[in-house]
Amino acid sequence: MKIVVTIVGKDQVGIIASVSSILADNNVNILNVNQNIMDGFFNMVLIAEMTDDKLKLADLQKLLKEKGEAMRLEIKVQHQDIFNSMHTI
Amino acid sequence: MITIDDILETNRMITENKLDVRTITMGISLRDCAHPNITQFCQNVYDKITKSAEFLVKTGEEIESEYGIPIIHKRVSVTPIAIAAEACKTDTYVPVAEALDRAAKEVGINFIGGFSALVEKGFTNGDRILLNSIPQALASTSLVCSSVNLGSTKAGINMDCVREMGEIIKRTAELTRDEQAIGCAKLVVFANAPGDNPFMAGAFHGVSEAERVVSVGVSGPGVVKHALEGLKGADFTEVAETIKKTAFKITRVGQLVAREASKRLGVPFGIIDLSLAPTPAVGDSVANVLEEMGLESCGAPGTTAALALLNDAVKKGGLMASSHVGGLSGAFIPVSEDQGMIDAINAGSLSIEKLEAMTCVCSVGLDMIAIEGDTSAATISGIIADEAAIGMINNKTTAVRIIPVPGKKVGDVVEYGGLLGYCPIVPVRNKFSSEAFIARGGRIPAPVRSLTN
């Protein structure tokens, strides 16, 4: 299952490291990353694939949400199908 | 392959433009619950609803979280109770409404629709009992919605029922006067009511529907308004094209949610209702979409044309995005639930009369309009008759959900809270009597379908 992770918040050291280590720990393979800084704000959209059948999306959402709260970032994890549905026929 | 821009656009629609899926509604047939003993019937109804919809709310919440799209309501519609309860030996269906209310609370939904009767041609005994039970049923329950279909293009208009509904609305208002006549916000009078509408208060599970179905109502006036903001001065061809494309995108999300809900609940997919349903939140207004087209205030000359274009383009865009379309499908114009409509009423730009004209080209009818409490039953019946006539002649659904708030006058405001919003008392300007007209009763014959001028 492919997922889309969006991260928004004040730029700081270790955002990508923290998020990608959580993904790696859970066997989530990163496919595409787009990141920039605008006015000191960190924006990242990351597309990844969950390879572990036992991992539930809700659990991954919880892990990343907790990390986001600790680092004062807004981290959103969504099933990729909502974007496919809306933008492809 | 989706692009970063696609992802950002979708998430902007959700966070900034208030895109949501308005409702997942499970339709449940109660035809097999019939029993002569009303206590047993109520038990059958309660058991069937609580078993069928046990996982509806949980499933809705899971989909909401996985896809990151808010799903505002999870609801249930049932077979019109006048049909389902007809075998009961009783003179009131109030206990049935109470059983529906208990079942709705048990499964955690926020409304249950189907305390309804379909009487466009005449009344059965069950229909009579249901109509008489409406005021008390709406006063003694909080989640039950009621609807009455009293006209259709094929059958004409049941004017006896039109007369009675004026009185029933007044009685309902009186019995719920402590809550600003909120009972009337849960009561819709229809012509050409669809049996697959997922939206409240008019949802019921039509007699030709399957045992159980899952239908989805989409929304998104904020998204349409945002799309039009980039089109200042563009001609109407471009406006219509943009609305179509936006409606397509909105509906695709609805289709995804419907498909997932159907799969996870093991219940067949019914329809997508392609609707622009506003909420009182700023930026989620159908009136503001019309104003974005160039009207200073909703209600100004040109409003009906703007609404016609909007309604049509939403359908054209949405149709290709979904495998089955039904329900009301179009733009809703409820007054209390739309901040732009409320502003237009307050500015003196929008009136009941203009709203009536707008109902000729939009999805439903006079919706969530608070009027003075001393408005006579005959005047309310006259308003209902006019709306039903528009629906009958134009072969479309029309409806009246009007609230005569006891003790309130023009200048007062009634507050319902949540998605029902608030409403200034809207003046019924014409003070002349409809009494003798409404007193006639009988039926207005079905109209001729050719020579359509």
Side-chain angles (χ1 to χ4, degrees):
Chain A
M1 177 169 69
K2 287 184 184 170
I3 56 169
V4 173
V5 183
T6 44
I7 306 162
V8 182
K10 197 166 182 306
D11 192 25
Q12 57 196 284
V13 173
I15 299 177
I16 296 180
S18 309
V19 172
S20 57
S21 70
I22 291 176
L23 296 179
D25 291 347
N26 289 284
N27 285 322
V28 179
N29 187 27
I30 297 174
L31 304 174
N32 187 353
V33 178
N34 183 299
Q35 182 263 318
N36 60 40
I37 308 283
M38 281 168 68
D39 297 332
F41 268 83
F42 178 95
N43 285 279
M44 184 160 95
V45 178
L46 181 154
I47 301 174
E49 180 148 30
M50 290 168 63
T51 52
D52 184 348
D53 289 345
K54 284 177 219 134
L55 178 67
K56 286 195 178 133
L57 181 54
D59 297 333
L60 186 64
Q61 283 173 328
K62 188 162 174 281
L63 286 172
L64 286 170
K65 188 164 181 275
E66 282 165 3
K67 175 56 77 179
E69 280 163 5
M71 297 182 77
R72 298 190 167 194
L73 299 165
E74 192 189 320
I75 304 183
K76 202 162 153 175
V77 186
Q78 291 160 282
H79 195 305
Q80 196 200 35
D81 275 359
I82 185 166
F83 306 103
N84 285 335
S85 291
M86 188 181 267
H87 299 284
T88 59
I89 296 179
Chain B
M1 182 71 191
I2 52 164
T3 67
I4 298 300
D5 285 346
D6 293 340
I7 292 171
L8 295 178
E9 184 189 0
T10 302
N11 283 342
R12 175 191 49 74
M13 286 181 182
I14 295 168
T15 53
E16 289 174 34
N17 306 138
K18 317 259 183 325
L19 173 63
D20 56 52
V21 168
R22 187 49 49 85
T23 180
I24 300 181
T25 303
M26 182 186 281
I28 303 171
S29 168
L30 299 183
R31 280 152 65 178
D32 57 354
C33 295
H35 198 282
N37 180 312
I38 190 164
T39 310
Q40 186 58 50
F41 173 73
C42 289
Q43 190 61 46
N44 293 351
V45 165
Y46 178 87
D47 291 345
K48 182 152 189 190
I49 294 168
T50 50
K51 188 161 173 285
S52 302
E54 185 180 0
F55 300 111
L56 177 62
V57 172
K58 182 168 166 279
T59 304
E61 285 168 354
E62 279 170 9
I63 295 171
E64 190 171 355
S65 157
E66 276 181 33
Y67 294 97
I69 176 89
I71 301 170
I72 309 295
H73 301 305
K74 294 91 185 169
R75 294 166 164 176
V76 165
S77 65
V78 296
T79 307
I81 293 299
I83 297 169
E86 194 143 30
C88 297
K89 305 268 181 270
T90 180
D91 57 1
T92 173
Y93 293 154
V94 173
V96 183
E98 289 166 353
L100 293 174
D101 204 46
R102 282 198 304 278
K105 284 172 181 155
E106 173 62 27
V107 295
I109 54 174
N110 68 345
F111 275 123
I112 184 163
F115 198 75
S116 306
L118 312 176
V119 295
E120 61 264 38
K121 213 162 178 188
F123 306 98
T124 65
N125 294 334
D127 295 329
R128 287 258 176 232
I129 298 169
L130 186 117
L131 288 177
N132 289 334
S133 307
I134 288 174
Q136 187 57 47
L138 294 178
S140 61
T141 60
S142 52
L143 305 181
V144 175
C145 291
S146 176
S147 57
V148 175
N149 191 68
L150 51 64
S152 74
T153 303
K154 288 206 160 160
I157 303 174
N158 180 344
M159 291 298 290
D160 290 324
C161 189
V162 168
R163 183 183 58 220
E164 285 184 32
M165 285 316 296
E167 289 155 10
I168 287 168
I169 288 171
K170 292 280 285 183
R171 270 212 304 284
T172 305
E174 201 51 52
L175 288 181
T176 53
R177 67 179 300 149
D178 294 343
E179 294 169 277
Q180 309 196 88
I182 196 164
C184 298
K186 298 179 286 175
L187 173 58
V188 191
V189 185
F190 274 115
N192 288 323
D196 54 4
N197 158 32
F199 284 102
M200 297 296 169
F204 61 88
H205 187 68
V207 287
S208 54
E209 296 291 313
E211 177 67 19
R212 289 192 301 164
V213 291
V214 168
S215 294
V216 163
V218 299
S219 181
V223 182
V224 175
K225 179 176 182 294
H226 177 86
L228 295 183
E229 282 167 5
L231 289 180
K232 298 260 186 277
D235 74 7
F236 282 115
T237 306
E238 214 173 320
V239 169
E241 283 302 310
T242 302
I243 296 171
K244 274 158 61 179
K245 284 178 194 156
T246 310
F248 177 84
K249 290 177 180 176
I250 295 170
T251 309
R252 291 283 285 182
V253 174
Q255 173 77 18
L256 170 71
V257 168
R259 199 182 62 215
E260 278 302 312
S262 162
K263 192 168 80 187
R264 294 178 194 196
L265 289 163
V267 173
F269 161 56
I271 56 97
I272 299 280
D273 193 317
L274 309 174
S275 287
L276 286 189
T279 67
V282 173
D284 205 18
S285 154
V286 169
N288 291 159
V289 175
L290 305 178
E291 288 161 359
E292 194 58 47
M293 287 189 212
L295 299 162
E296 185 182 2
S297 174
C298 181
T303 298
T304 310
L307 184 58
L309 179 147
L310 174 66
N311 204 51
D312 185 62
V314 165
K315 285 181 204 170
K316 285 173 177 164
L319 274 168
M320 190 179 151
S322 171
S323 45
H324 296 283
V325 172
L328 299 168
S329 285
F332 290 172
I333 53 169
V335 173
S336 78
E337 298 171 7
D338 186 318
Q339 186 59 47
M341 295 283 175
I342 296 167
D343 293 342
I345 294 276
N346 283 333
S349 163
L350 191 59
S351 62
I352 287 192
E353 296 74 17
K354 185 64 182 176
L355 282 161
E356 181 183 324
M358 291 162 72
T359 65
C360 301
V361 299
C362 79
S363 123
V364 198
L366 294 174
D367 196 13
M368 287 303 288
I369 301 174
I371 57 173
E372 292 186 339
D374 61 3
T375 310
S376 76
T379 295
I380 294 171
S381 291
I383 292 170
I384 292 171
D386 286 344
E387 270 305 307
I390 291 169
M392 174 182 77
I393 295 292
N394 294 305
N395 197 21
K396 73 182 288 294
T397 306
T398 48
V400 174
R401 181 161 53 147
I402 204 162
I403 311 164
V405 191
K408 296 288 180 185
K409 292 279 174 200
V410 170
D412 294 337
V413 173
V414 285
E415 173 88 46
Y416 294 107
L419 286 185
L420 292 175
Y422 71 99
C423 188
I425 299 289
V426 181
V428 179
R429 293 199 180 124
N430 196 313
K431 298 293 178 196
F432 293 93
S433 169
S434 316
E435 207 80 44
F437 176 78
I438 294 301
R440 285 178 186 273
R443 287 161 53 198
I444 293 183
V448 63
R449 301 293 303 280
S450 61
L451 308 168
T452 52
N453 288 320

